[in-house]
Amino acid sequence: RKVALPYFKDPALTVQLCERVFGDTLPEFADIVYLYGHTPANEADVLAEGARVITMYPEAFLGLCGLQKHELKPSDPFSGCEAWTETLVRAEVPRGLIVWVRQELDPIRVPCTDTESFNLVRWAQKEGERTIIIVTPTFHALRATVSVVSAAVHLGAGNLDVFVRAVPQNMNEVVQ
C-alpha cells in the first residue's frame, strides 16, 4: 500500500502534500542530488537544473538513473546514463561527482519511477547517506516524491530526508 494513499482520500491532505512538494525549499546540506530519468524531450530541463543545483552542494554526489545504453531496449525512451553524464560534464559538472545509481529491477520488473525510487533508497542506505534532493519536472514531482517516500518506508529507511526541486517544464518541449 502506498504511503500517500491517505493523502488522496482526503482533499485537505492532498492539498497539504502538494504544498510540500511544490513549495519545498532546498536544505543547507545534501548527500545526493538525484535526477530522475526522463525521455529526450523532457531531459534538457532536468539536466540543466541538476547542473545548477549541484553547484550549491560541493560535497554532494549527482546521482543518475544507472541504466546504460546496452541495457535498454530500442523502445525505451531514456538516453542512458552515459549520455546524461557527457551532457553534465559539458555543463561543467565534475565527472567525479556523478554516480550511476544501479537499477535492479526488483521488486518492480520494468524501468520506471518506482524502480528508480527503490534503487535510490537502497543506494542511500548502502552508502550511509541521509539527505536526498530529487530533481524532476513539475508534472512528475508529486509522483516521484510519493514513490521515493513509499520506497523509504517499505525498505525501513525512515531516517532519510527527501527534498524536491520541481523543475518548471519548458512548454516548448513535448511532454510524453
Side-chain angles (χ1 to χ4, degrees), residues 26-63:
L26 295 179
E28 291 183 26
F29 173 83
D31 293 306
I32 185 169
V33 175
Y34 184 80
L35 313 184
Y36 271 89
H38 283 280
T39 63
N42 299 319
E43 70 186 23
D45 292 332
V46 172
L47 289 166
E49 187 62 11
R52 189 189 74 73
V53 171
I54 196 66
T55 64
M56 299 164 47
Y57 302 97
E59 308 270 325
F61 292 106
L62 183 64

Short mmCIF file of all heavy atoms in Angstrom, two decimals, residues 26-63:
data_model
loop_
_atom_site.label_atom_id
_atom_site.label_comp_id
_atom_site.label_asym_id
_atom_site.label_seq_id
_atom_site.Cartn_x
_atom_site.Cartn_y
_atom_site.Cartn_z
N LEU A 26 15.08 24.12 -0.59
CA LEU A 26 16.23 23.23 -0.58
C LEU A 26 16.95 23.33 0.76
O LEU A 26 17.01 24.39 1.37
CB LEU A 26 17.17 23.58 -1.73
CG LEU A 26 16.59 23.35 -3.13
CD1 LEU A 26 17.59 23.75 -4.19
CD2 LEU A 26 16.15 21.90 -3.31
N PRO A 27 17.53 22.22 1.21
CA PRO A 27 18.22 22.20 2.51
C PRO A 27 19.59 22.87 2.42
O PRO A 27 20.10 23.14 1.33
CB PRO A 27 18.36 20.71 2.79
CG PRO A 27 18.49 20.10 1.42
CD PRO A 27 17.56 20.91 0.55
N GLU A 28 20.19 23.09 3.57
CA GLU A 28 21.54 23.66 3.61
C GLU A 28 22.59 22.62 3.21
O GLU A 28 23.67 22.98 2.75
CB GLU A 28 21.85 24.19 5.01
CG GLU A 28 21.04 25.42 5.36
CD GLU A 28 21.41 25.97 6.73
OE1 GLU A 28 22.55 25.74 7.19
OE2 GLU A 28 20.55 26.63 7.33
N PHE A 29 22.29 21.34 3.41
CA PHE A 29 23.22 20.26 3.12
C PHE A 29 22.50 19.17 2.37
O PHE A 29 21.33 18.91 2.61
CB PHE A 29 23.80 19.70 4.43
CG PHE A 29 24.63 18.47 4.23
CD1 PHE A 29 25.96 18.58 3.87
CD2 PHE A 29 24.07 17.21 4.36
CE1 PHE A 29 26.74 17.44 3.64
CE2 PHE A 29 24.82 16.06 4.15
CZ PHE A 29 26.16 16.18 3.79
N ALA A 30 23.19 18.50 1.47
CA ALA A 30 22.63 17.33 0.78
C ALA A 30 23.74 16.31 0.54
O ALA A 30 24.90 16.68 0.31
CB ALA A 30 22.00 17.73 -0.55
N ASP A 31 23.37 15.04 0.61
CA ASP A 31 24.31 13.96 0.28
C ASP A 31 24.28 13.65 -1.21
O ASP A 31 25.31 13.31 -1.79
CB ASP A 31 23.96 12.69 1.07
CG ASP A 31 24.19 12.86 2.56
OD1 ASP A 31 25.32 13.24 2.93
OD2 ASP A 31 23.25 12.62 3.34
N ILE A 32 23.09 13.72 -1.79
CA ILE A 32 22.95 13.41 -3.21
C ILE A 32 21.84 14.26 -3.82
O ILE A 32 20.80 14.49 -3.20
CB ILE A 32 22.67 11.91 -3.44
CG1 ILE A 32 22.65 11.57 -4.96
CG2 ILE A 32 21.40 11.46 -2.75
CD1 ILE A 32 22.66 10.09 -5.26
N VAL A 33 22.12 14.76 -5.00
CA VAL A 33 21.12 15.42 -5.83
C VAL A 33 20.82 14.40 -6.93
O VAL A 33 21.71 14.03 -7.70
CB VAL A 33 21.66 16.73 -6.43
CG1 VAL A 33 20.66 17.34 -7.40
CG2 VAL A 33 22.03 17.72 -5.33
N TYR A 34 19.60 13.88 -6.95
CA TYR A 34 19.25 12.78 -7.86
C TYR A 34 18.34 13.27 -8.98
O TYR A 34 17.30 13.86 -8.72
CB TYR A 34 18.57 11.64 -7.10
CG TYR A 34 18.30 10.46 -8.00
CD1 TYR A 34 19.32 9.56 -8.31
CD2 TYR A 34 17.06 10.26 -8.56
CE1 TYR A 34 19.10 8.49 -9.16
CE2 TYR A 34 16.81 9.20 -9.41
CZ TYR A 34 17.84 8.32 -9.71
OH TYR A 34 17.62 7.26 -10.56
N LEU A 35 18.75 12.98 -10.22
CA LEU A 35 17.96 13.36 -11.38
C LEU A 35 17.21 12.13 -11.89
O LEU A 35 17.81 11.17 -12.35
CB LEU A 35 18.88 13.88 -12.50
CG LEU A 35 19.94 14.91 -12.11
CD1 LEU A 35 20.68 15.38 -13.36
CD2 LEU A 35 19.34 16.06 -11.37
N TYR A 36 15.88 12.18 -11.78
CA TYR A 36 15.08 11.07 -12.31
C TYR A 36 15.23 11.01 -13.82
O TYR A 36 15.27 12.05 -14.50
CB TYR A 36 13.60 11.24 -11.95
CG TYR A 36 13.25 10.62 -10.63
CD1 TYR A 36 13.36 11.34 -9.45
CD2 TYR A 36 12.84 9.30 -10.56
CE1 TYR A 36 13.07 10.76 -8.23
CE2 TYR A 36 12.55 8.71 -9.35
CZ TYR A 36 12.66 9.44 -8.18
OH TYR A 36 12.37 8.87 -6.98
N GLY A 37 15.32 9.81 -14.36
CA GLY A 37 15.43 9.62 -15.80
C GLY A 37 14.18 10.10 -16.52
O GLY A 37 13.07 9.93 -16.01
N HIS A 38 14.37 10.70 -17.69
CA HIS A 38 13.24 11.18 -18.49
C HIS A 38 13.51 10.93 -19.95
O HIS A 38 14.63 10.61 -20.35
CB HIS A 38 13.00 12.68 -18.23
CG HIS A 38 12.31 12.92 -16.94
ND1 HIS A 38 10.95 12.79 -16.78
CD2 HIS A 38 12.78 13.24 -15.72
CE1 HIS A 38 10.63 13.02 -15.54
NE2 HIS A 38 11.73 13.30 -14.86
N THR A 39 12.48 11.12 -20.74
CA THR A 39 12.60 10.97 -22.18
C THR A 39 13.44 12.11 -22.74
O THR A 39 13.56 13.16 -22.11
CB THR A 39 11.21 11.01 -22.84
OG1 THR A 39 10.63 12.29 -22.60
CG2 THR A 39 10.31 9.91 -22.30
N PRO A 40 14.02 11.94 -23.92
CA PRO A 40 14.82 13.02 -24.51
C PRO A 40 14.07 14.35 -24.60
O PRO A 40 14.67 15.41 -24.41
CB PRO A 40 15.17 12.47 -25.90
CG PRO A 40 15.22 10.99 -25.69
CD PRO A 40 14.09 10.71 -24.72
N ALA A 41 12.78 14.31 -24.84
CA ALA A 41 12.01 15.55 -24.93
C ALA A 41 11.93 16.29 -23.60
O ALA A 41 11.72 17.50 -23.57
CB ALA A 41 10.60 15.26 -25.45
N ASN A 42 12.09 15.58 -22.50
CA ASN A 42 11.94 16.18 -21.18
C ASN A 42 13.25 16.30 -20.39
O ASN A 42 13.28 16.86 -19.30
CB ASN A 42 10.94 15.38 -20.35
CG ASN A 42 9.58 15.35 -20.98
OD1 ASN A 42 9.10 16.35 -21.49
ND2 ASN A 42 8.95 14.19 -21.00
N GLU A 43 14.33 15.76 -20.93
CA GLU A 43 15.56 15.68 -20.13
C GLU A 43 16.35 16.99 -20.05
O GLU A 43 17.07 17.20 -19.07
CB GLU A 43 16.45 14.56 -20.64
CG GLU A 43 17.08 14.80 -21.97
CD GLU A 43 17.83 13.59 -22.51
OE1 GLU A 43 17.55 12.46 -22.12
OE2 GLU A 43 18.72 13.82 -23.33
N ALA A 44 16.25 17.86 -21.04
CA ALA A 44 17.10 19.05 -21.07
C ALA A 44 16.93 19.91 -19.82
O ALA A 44 17.92 20.36 -19.23
CB ALA A 44 16.82 19.87 -22.32
N ASP A 45 15.70 20.15 -19.41
CA ASP A 45 15.45 20.98 -18.24
C ASP A 45 15.96 20.32 -16.96
O ASP A 45 16.51 20.99 -16.08
CB ASP A 45 13.96 21.30 -18.09
CG ASP A 45 13.44 22.19 -19.19
OD1 ASP A 45 14.22 22.99 -19.75
OD2 ASP A 45 12.24 22.09 -19.50
N VAL A 46 15.80 19.01 -16.85
CA VAL A 46 16.26 18.29 -15.67
C VAL A 46 17.78 18.33 -15.58
O VAL A 46 18.35 18.60 -14.52
CB VAL A 46 15.75 16.82 -15.68
CG1 VAL A 46 16.39 16.00 -14.57
CG2 VAL A 46 14.24 16.78 -15.56
N LEU A 47 18.45 18.10 -16.69
CA LEU A 47 19.92 18.14 -16.70
C LEU A 47 20.44 19.54 -16.37
O LEU A 47 21.38 19.68 -15.58
CB LEU A 47 20.44 17.67 -18.05
CG LEU A 47 20.27 16.17 -18.32
CD1 LEU A 47 20.50 15.86 -19.79
CD2 LEU A 47 21.18 15.36 -17.45
N ALA A 48 19.82 20.55 -16.95
CA ALA A 48 20.26 21.93 -16.68
C ALA A 48 20.06 22.29 -15.21
O ALA A 48 20.95 22.88 -14.58
CB ALA A 48 19.51 22.91 -17.59
N GLU A 49 18.92 21.92 -14.65
CA GLU A 49 18.66 22.24 -13.25
C GLU A 49 19.56 21.41 -12.33
O GLU A 49 20.04 21.91 -11.31
CB GLU A 49 17.19 22.03 -12.90
CG GLU A 49 16.82 22.48 -11.51
CD GLU A 49 17.01 23.97 -11.26
OE1 GLU A 49 17.25 24.75 -12.20
OE2 GLU A 49 16.90 24.37 -10.09
N GLY A 50 19.80 20.16 -12.66
CA GLY A 50 20.71 19.34 -11.87
C GLY A 50 22.10 19.94 -11.84
O GLY A 50 22.74 20.00 -10.79
N ALA A 51 22.58 20.41 -12.99
CA ALA A 51 23.90 21.05 -13.07
C ALA A 51 23.94 22.32 -12.23
O ALA A 51 24.96 22.63 -11.61
CB ALA A 51 24.26 21.35 -14.52
N ARG A 52 22.82 23.04 -12.17
CA ARG A 52 22.75 24.26 -11.36
C ARG A 52 22.70 23.92 -9.87
O ARG A 52 23.44 24.49 -9.06
CB ARG A 52 21.54 25.10 -11.75
CG ARG A 52 21.51 26.48 -11.10
CD ARG A 52 20.20 27.20 -11.33
NE ARG A 52 19.12 26.67 -10.52
CZ ARG A 52 18.99 26.86 -9.20
NH1 ARG A 52 19.90 27.54 -8.53
NH2 ARG A 52 17.97 26.36 -8.55
N VAL A 53 21.84 22.99 -9.49
CA VAL A 53 21.65 22.67 -8.07
C VAL A 53 22.92 22.07 -7.46
O VAL A 53 23.27 22.39 -6.33
CB VAL A 53 20.44 21.73 -7.87
CG1 VAL A 53 20.36 21.20 -6.45
CG2 VAL A 53 19.14 22.46 -8.23
N ILE A 54 23.63 21.22 -8.20
CA ILE A 54 24.82 20.57 -7.62
C ILE A 54 25.88 21.60 -7.24
O ILE A 54 26.67 21.37 -6.33
CB ILE A 54 25.38 19.47 -8.55
CG1 ILE A 54 26.35 18.55 -7.79
CG2 ILE A 54 26.06 20.06 -9.77
CD1 ILE A 54 25.74 17.73 -6.70
N THR A 55 25.90 22.76 -7.89
CA THR A 55 26.89 23.79 -7.53
C THR A 55 26.65 24.32 -6.12
O THR A 55 27.57 24.87 -5.51
CB THR A 55 26.87 24.97 -8.52
OG1 THR A 55 25.61 25.64 -8.44
CG2 THR A 55 27.15 24.53 -9.94
N MET A 56 25.45 24.14 -5.59
CA MET A 56 25.13 24.59 -4.23
C MET A 56 25.60 23.60 -3.17
O MET A 56 25.59 23.92 -1.98
CB MET A 56 23.61 24.80 -4.11
CG MET A 56 23.07 25.84 -5.07
SD MET A 56 21.26 25.80 -5.31
CE MET A 56 20.63 25.68 -3.67
N TYR A 57 25.99 22.39 -3.61
CA TYR A 57 26.34 21.32 -2.68
C TYR A 57 27.67 20.67 -3.11
O TYR A 57 27.70 19.57 -3.66
CB TYR A 57 25.23 20.26 -2.65
CG TYR A 57 23.91 20.86 -2.24
CD1 TYR A 57 22.96 21.24 -3.20
CD2 TYR A 57 23.61 21.08 -0.90
CE1 TYR A 57 21.76 21.82 -2.82
CE2 TYR A 57 22.41 21.66 -0.52
CZ TYR A 57 21.50 22.03 -1.48
OH TYR A 57 20.30 22.60 -1.11
N PRO A 58 28.79 21.34 -2.84
CA PRO A 58 30.08 20.83 -3.32
C PRO A 58 30.48 19.47 -2.74
O PRO A 58 31.32 18.79 -3.32
CB PRO A 58 31.07 21.92 -2.90
CG PRO A 58 30.38 22.71 -1.85
CD PRO A 58 28.91 22.58 -2.10
N GLU A 59 29.88 19.06 -1.64
CA GLU A 59 30.20 17.78 -1.03
C GLU A 59 29.27 16.66 -1.50
O GLU A 59 29.49 15.49 -1.17
CB GLU A 59 30.08 17.89 0.50
CG GLU A 59 30.86 19.04 1.10
CD GLU A 59 32.27 18.65 1.49
OE1 GLU A 59 32.45 17.51 1.92
OE2 GLU A 59 33.17 19.48 1.33
N ALA A 60 28.24 17.00 -2.25
CA ALA A 60 27.22 16.02 -2.65
C ALA A 60 27.59 15.30 -3.93
O ALA A 60 28.39 15.77 -4.73
CB ALA A 60 25.87 16.72 -2.82
N PHE A 61 26.95 14.16 -4.12
CA PHE A 61 27.01 13.44 -5.38
C PHE A 61 25.87 13.92 -6.27
O PHE A 61 24.83 14.38 -5.77
CB PHE A 61 26.84 11.93 -5.16
CG PHE A 61 27.98 11.29 -4.44
CD1 PHE A 61 27.85 10.91 -3.11
CD2 PHE A 61 29.19 11.07 -5.08
CE1 PHE A 61 28.90 10.31 -2.43
CE2 PHE A 61 30.24 10.47 -4.42
CZ PHE A 61 30.10 10.09 -3.09
N LEU A 62 26.04 13.77 -7.55
CA LEU A 62 24.95 13.99 -8.51
C LEU A 62 24.58 12.62 -9.04
O LEU A 62 25.37 11.99 -9.77
CB LEU A 62 25.38 14.92 -9.64
CG LEU A 62 24.29 15.26 -10.64
CD1 LEU A 62 23.17 16.05 -9.97
CD2 LEU A 62 24.85 16.07 -11.79
N GLY A 63 23.43 12.12 -8.64
CA GLY A 63 23.02 10.76 -8.99
C GLY A 63 22.16 10.71 -10.24
O GLY A 63 21.31 11.57 -10.46
#
